[in-house]
Structure formats: structure tokens, C-alpha cells
Amino acid sequence: MSLSYVNLTSGRTADLTEVRLNSTYGGLLEGYPCRRINEWSISALERGAKTAHPHLPVHLVAPVRDYPEGDVSQGPFGPVEVLPAVRCVGVFTSTPVDPDLDPVLHRSGLVVAWFQEGPDVPSGDRADQGLRDMPWDELAADFEL
């Protein structure tokens, strides 16, 4: 049973069967959000998704980066660069990519890592555009139930 679903712009529906959410800057004890910290956070999110789900391919949706103080260098690490507040990893499944596979016996799957502004579970057409635009047929892997 799925927790939610996302309507992809390709016309395919992907069911969200597992999701993990955590704070983007929850462990930041000193310093400020900047490119270096954000690159580390993005890499750690993708590595964690691959480690947790080694049987499926992983896709990272590139996060939106905000520069609230403009693009001027401030502080020792450059300008403030802020990512959305919530880091997410979800397991999505759908009908098989290969049209020759039996949809009763096979599914396709993809682990997706993304960032979003709030803790809401993505749903339908209201999901983040980066999720909805995933090229599922190029990224997902078919598997037998």
C-alpha cells in the first residue's frame, strides 16, 4: 500500500511507498548556510539514499538555492546560500518500464532524494515540480514482485 502518489508530467503515476524527512540545517552548530555546507549536505543525502537502498537506482532532484543577502561575498565562506528546509528520501514504485513485462508480476522502482520547504508528503499534482518532471523511464529499474 502506498503512502501517497505523484503524477509525473510524463503521464505516469509513481506511488510513494517509503519516505524519510529531516531538517536540512538541524545539525548546524556554528557557521552559516553556504555553498560548502550545502554541497556536503546534498552529497550526504544522496550517499545515504544509496546506502539505505542499494537494490534500486537513486536520483537526486537538484535543489533550489536561495541567496537572501544577494550574491555578495559575506563572511569567511562566501555568501549565504540557503537550501529548502526539509531533506527528503523516498522510495517510489510504478508500473514496469519495459512494456513486455507483466504489470501484475513486475513493478519499476526508484529512490529519490530531494529538498522541499515543509514537512508535507508530496501528493498528486501538488508535488514539487522537480519530482513531477523526473524522467522515470530513463531512471527507474524494473523488478519482479
Side-chain angles (χ1 to χ4, degrees), residues 28-88:
L28 186 62
L29 298 177
E30 51 181 86
Y32 58 92
C34 63
R35 177 171 286 287
R36 183 187 304 176
I37 288 173
N38 290 338
E39 290 300 324
W40 176 85
S41 180
I42 293 166
S43 292
L45 181 66
E46 188 173 21
R47 274 193 321 273
K50 288 177 181 178
T51 300
H53 304 282
H55 60 285
L56 286 173
V58 172
H59 173 64
L60 172 71
V61 176
V64 174
R65 299 166 189 253
D66 185 33
Y67 299 90
E69 298 178 5
D71 200 12
V72 289
S73 183
Q74 295 185 9
F77 305 114
V80 173
E81 179 185 271
V82 180
L83 297 175
V86 182
R87 297 174 0 141
C88 311

